[in-house]
Amino acid sequence: GLVAVAFLFGALWITGALGVARVLAGAAVAFEAAASLVNLVVTRVSGPRPLPGLSLEEGIPPGLRTLVAVPVLLADAADLAAQIERLEVHYLSSVGGAVHYALLSDGPDSDRDLDPQDSALTTAAQAAIARLNTLYPTGGGDRFFLLHRARRWNPAEGVWMGWERKRGKLEELNRLLRGATDTSFLPGPPIPDGVQFVITLDADTRILRDTVRRLIGKMAHPLNLPVLDGLRQQVTSGYAILQPRVTPALPLGLAGSVYQRISSSPGGIEPYAAASSDVYQDLFQEGSFTGKGIYHVDAFMAAMAGRVPENTLLSHDLFEGTFARAGLASDVEVVEEFPARQDVDARRMQRWVRGDWQLLPWIVGQRPALGGISAVNRWKMIDNLRRSLLAPMTLLTLFAGWLLPFPQALGWTVAVCGLLALPRLITLPLALLPGRGGIASRSHVQALLGDVKIAAAQVALSLGLLADTAARMLGAIGLTAVRLATGRHLLQ
């Protein structure tokens, strides 16, 4: 697809060196369109392959004891109340048995180790957790826990903060589960022995009914159990991590902003299928960890031991999935809120891009990884970098075409915009026929028209924000380059 599109560009507009430059500039846009076509073909031909799982309909047995952990920052009383309520909802939506729930909390970064509000917040959090344990007692021990960390001085960041942020929370949690006494967690009730799995969720993640049971059932199935190569320090078969499918919450009526309704909509993709295709899972039996899912404590610890120097890794999820081997359980779903405002979404994207570019030393081999990074996982990392360059390269491609005489410049602009729109429009022709029986023609047509409107709005929004997105991406990449060179603020 890339070669064909590049050839068409060259055949129509090459006029010496400037024409070659235009084709090279357009390669990024052409590659994105070609990748969308390849992904569509692969997912349509191969089809989803759900991972096997145990039913566990009688509850979670003690041998599969699991901790549901939610890493959070405790900023104020209102935020604490929301997190406690969500932790209770996680419990109420889950099956009974040997499942426990914990808030992994840090205080915000500070210029001192203790802020005036810290004591009041932790006291309130402990009281709220005690109330949950009273409401929902177990046969022995607690079901709910508050695991709050003391700040540590970080000279590279110049602040008092939770050690290594979220990655540090999970690393210290794993050590705590295996009996360590030197973590930065404040003293509290003992966590039950024998926790085999941890389900980690973001603060805004919602789990559906039976999500916990199904994740544990898949993780515990003999065909999915991780097999560790001790010499390479990598999981070579099975999975130490299982990632569920993450679906944006669908705003209804006036419940969401215009930006949220446009950006978080599936745009022609059927979101209610039992399982969905994923190119990496279908072709290579590996998914990509995005920070929400279940992991095998011992295998995860063994695969990640000593791999990451302090103050170097911001976006750790994909890196962890590379060595602990992540699988995609696409028939298990969690729901997350999509940012309601463009500026919030843009800042989130900038943070992701900074994290992706901080993996560059591992990608190029400047920072060796024991056992090496597989070609598939290295490509995932490189592809993230490519996508961060798409907006700047698209803008450059448009500028290159505008140097042509008017008729050619117009054709160039239409072609580039068409390629940019292709990933959002490519699934619409496949939606002309109902995906399953029992759907009224009127309902199907209404749904199809709604998908067309959303896809058109997404294309218009991406084109309207192209210059802003390009500037933000270049800013994030440049900032990361400075921080990699200085070794400072890499966790900011």
Side-chain angles (χ1 to χ4, degrees), residues 150-401:
R151 295 184 184 90
R152 291 181 176 176
W153 173 250
N154 188 320
E157 299 294 320
V159 295
W160 290 85
M161 55 177 281
W163 180 74
E164 291 290 299
R165 302 203 187 281
K166 180 184 174 183
R167 187 185 74 82
K169 282 192 184 83
L170 294 178
E171 182 173 327
E172 290 201 283
L173 172 65
N174 295 337
R175 295 181 58 241
L176 183 69
L177 293 175
R178 293 302 175 256
T181 58
D182 59 346
T183 68
S184 60
F185 287 113
L186 300 181
I191 296 179
D193 293 332
V195 172
Q196 300 299 310
F197 309 128
V198 169
I199 297 177
T200 176
L201 305 171
D202 287 344
D204 60 348
T205 305
R206 304 179 194 172
I207 59 174
L208 307 181
R209 184 173 180 83
D210 285 342
T211 295
V212 169
R213 174 180 64 82
R214 297 182 66 198
L215 281 176
I216 298 172
K218 287 183 179 292
M219 196 79 227
H221 194 281
L223 294 179
N224 297 329
L225 290 177
V227 176
L228 184 76
D229 183 331
L231 294 178
R232 296 172 56 200
Q233 199 178 323
Q234 294 185 17
V235 175
T236 55
S237 64
Y239 305 100
I241 302 171
L242 286 182
Q243 165 80 41
R245 179 165 45 136
V246 181
T247 301
L250 299 176
L252 300 175
L254 300 177
S257 67
V258 173
Y259 179 80
Q260 191 176 28
R261 290 196 294 273
I262 292 174
S263 301
S264 66
S265 296
I269 300 172
E270 168 60 34
Y272 301 111
S276 61
S277 291
D278 176 83
V279 171
Y280 294 111
Q281 183 67 43
D282 294 343
L283 288 183
F284 307 106
Q285 289 74 56
E286 287 191 45
S288 300
F289 185 41
T290 62
K292 293 158 282 287
I294 184 171
Y295 65 84
H296 187 290
V297 174
D298 293 323
F300 185 92
M301 290 181 68
M304 295 307 300
R307 284 200 178 274
V308 184
E310 287 191 24
N311 298 314
T312 59
L313 197 61
L314 176 63
S315 182
H316 55 94
D317 306 326
L318 181 59
F319 187 85
E320 291 164 343
T322 295
F323 301 103
R325 199 163 190 262
L328 175 65
S330 67
D331 54 337
V332 182
E333 191 173 19
V334 298
V335 178
E336 283 196 341
E337 295 288 347
F338 194 88
R341 293 184 358 219
Q342 185 271 336
D343 60 329
V344 175
D345 187 29
R347 287 197 297 272
R348 182 179 70 161
M349 184 60 66
Q350 283 178 294
R351 184 174 69 252
W352 289 348
V353 168
R354 287 193 287 109
D356 291 335
W357 279 88
Q358 282 180 210
L359 293 176
L360 193 59
W362 282 280
I363 295 174
V364 301
Q366 180 184 354
R367 187 172 283 133
L370 179 63
I373 299 175
S374 69
V376 171
N377 285 291
R378 192 181 300 274
W379 167 248
K380 289 179 186 178
M381 297 177 185
I382 295 173
D383 196 42
N384 284 344
L385 307 190
R386 176 195 65 81
R387 284 187 282 108
S388 70
L389 291 169
L390 179 61
M393 292 302 294
T394 301
L395 205 58
L396 178 62
T397 304
L398 288 172
F399 284 151

Side-chain angles (χ1 to χ4, degrees), residues 48-94:
R49 301 176 184 178
L51 296 173
L54 306 178
S55 64
L56 302 180
E57 293 180 356
E58 301 301 320
I60 309 303
L64 301 179
R65 190 174 301 277
T66 300
L67 178 69
V68 178
V70 185
V72 297
L73 282 175
L74 287 185
D76 52 46
D79 182 52
L80 169 62
Q83 295 304 330
I84 291 294
E85 180 181 5
R86 184 150 293 180
L87 196 68
E88 183 177 10
V89 172
H90 290 337
Y91 164 73
L92 293 174
S93 64
S94 303

